[in-house]
Amino acid sequence: MSSVMALVLVACLVACTAALPTLPTSPPHHARPAAINATSSLGAIPTGAWDGAFSIVPYTGSPGAYSCMGCTVSAPFYVLFFANAQAELNISNANTNGCPLSRQSYTLYGIQPYSDAYPHYYAAKIRIAGADVPVCFYFGPNTAGSYNFVITLDGLGTCPNAGAPASCSPSHIHGAVSQTWSGVLNPAKLPTGKFNGHFSQSPYLVKNNKAVCECPAINMVASYTFNPADKQLTITASGGASGACTIPSITHVIRNLDVYPNGYYGGVYTVPQSSITFPTCFLFANNQFTWLVDSIGNCPASFQAASCTNNPYGTLPVQVNSGQWQ
């Protein structure tokens, strides 16, 4: 069980009113706005992809007998804020001077400004084991031009100090702990420029108005051009043939790019010469490229060879396109 999950499952059974530690007159939980107020002086919730590092004081033990470890670990951290008031938090494996932390992922939802009186503070919830657990976090600029991200995880929605360091302490519930994670983030950046290489695709044939995978992979000369200003990747392939299967010279455009962790990128793809549009995800790192085209937006598990799989549930097959670049 992860370090947050065990804490929250116990703490979320208790309800209370939490206040900003340095602002004792902050409103109680029930006074938080029910929805984002478009006219709020805070504006919208945070947006975009951010990466950096989190400092965390982990804990050990078993349910009902957790205790804080006497060390602090610095772990690579990534957060992606979605337009639907959700955010995905990803913390990578790390070990700092013998202080270990395993990979963890969480989703914040229902994000909204805490109140106009406290800029850069946001309320949200995490759903764990069917329970809606309140949290509060600070996300605001610092003097170095980066952003501080501080979140308290005590199951009660307590807000942290804006500059609070990482900490772990016994909870008011026996055998549980409360944590504050503290990190510094910068906007995650898309690659820039043109990368030349190859692009492999296993095309499908249309028979009786149905797409059927019958072709081997065709390897083509290609270029990958990232345009960060337009948040767009353009793949231009020369075309090729293998037996009775051919691919003409073709251009694929993936729009509305978001930076995911560990070399992954998400976006929106429209099938050439059609109006079929869907979310998609690809891996672009270490001079290799793998793009999973499944009409859903799932990411490829790793770098893979090009393939085509008949899809009994949809009009288009599931394709894996691959390539190399330099």
Side-chain angles (χ1 to χ4, degrees):
M1 182 173 289
S2 71
S3 57
V4 174
M5 185 178 295
L7 152 70
V8 172
L9 287 177
V10 177
C12 70
L13 301 177
V14 179
C16 74
T17 297
L20 291 167
T22 57
L23 301 171
T25 59
S26 61
H29 287 172
H30 62 75
R32 292 173 179 165
I36 296 173
N37 180 359
T39 62
S40 167
S41 61
L42 293 173
I45 63 173
T47 59
W50 302 74
D51 57 20
F54 246 0
S55 292
I56 297 174
V57 178
Y59 66 82
T60 187
S62 57
Y66 292 111
S67 61
C68 299
M69 298 175 64
C71 61
T72 301
V73 58
S74 179
F77 174 72
Y78 167 89
V79 59
L80 175 62
F81 290 99
F82 296 94
N84 62 350
Q86 294 188 10
E88 177 184 341
L89 311 182
N90 285 280
I91 305 165
S92 299
N93 294 325
N95 189 307
T96 303
N97 298 324
C99 190
L101 187 73
S102 60
R103 183 186 183 279
Q104 301 178 32
S105 297
Y106 304 97
T107 299
L108 300 178
Y109 68 96
I111 300 173
Q112 55 188 291
Y114 189 93
S115 83
D116 286 342
Y118 307 105
H120 308 303
Y121 279 93
Y122 301 89
K125 289 185 178 180
I126 298 178
R127 177 174 286 271
I128 298 177
D132 295 320
V133 182
V135 294
C136 179
F137 65 92
Y138 175 85
F139 185 80
N142 58 33
T143 56
S146 301
Y147 273 67
N148 291 335
F149 190 112
V150 188
I151 185 169
T152 292
L153 301 152
D154 62 358
L156 307 174
T158 304
C159 292
N161 289 317
S167 65
C168 178
S169 62
S171 170
H172 64 286
I173 299 174
H174 178 72
V177 297
S178 298
Q179 290 177 297
T180 293
W181 297 353
S182 181
V184 177
L185 301 175
N186 289 289
K189 296 181 179 180
L190 291 168
T192 301
K194 184 177 181 179
F195 302 83
N196 295 316
H198 292 83
F199 177 79
S200 294
Q201 184 175 21
S202 294
Y204 55 83
L205 303 177
V206 178
K207 295 184 175 180
N208 298 322
N209 295 320
K210 184 177 181 180
V212 180
C213 297
E214 292 186 354
C215 299
I218 297 175
N219 190 40
M220 299 166 278
V221 175
S223 64
Y224 304 82
T225 304
F226 284 90
N227 185 339
D230 294 333
K231 300 181 69 174
Q232 183 171 290
L233 168 63
T234 301
I235 304 169
T236 303
S238 62
S242 179
C245 301
T246 61
I247 298 178
S249 59
I250 191 169
T251 297
H252 300 284
V253 179
I254 304 175
R255 299 174 288 105
N256 300 336
L257 291 180
D258 280 316
V259 183
Y260 294 171
N262 303 320
Y264 285 92
Y265 302 86
V268 176
Y269 175 65
T270 299
V271 177
Q273 300 178 346
S274 81
S275 59
I276 301 175
T277 300
F278 47 80
T280 194
C281 179
F282 62 89
L283 179 58
F284 189 88
N286 301 322
N287 300 101
Q288 296 189 69
F289 171 79
T290 299
W291 174 21
L292 177 58
V293 186
D294 64 355
S295 305
I296 299 173
N298 290 319
C299 292
S302 62
F303 292 113
Q304 302 171 39
S307 65
C308 181
T309 305
N310 292 320
N311 183 1
Y313 306 106
T315 57
L316 294 176
V318 175
Q319 290 179 294
V320 174
N321 301 323
S322 66
Q324 302 82 36
W325 49 269
Q326 56 185 344

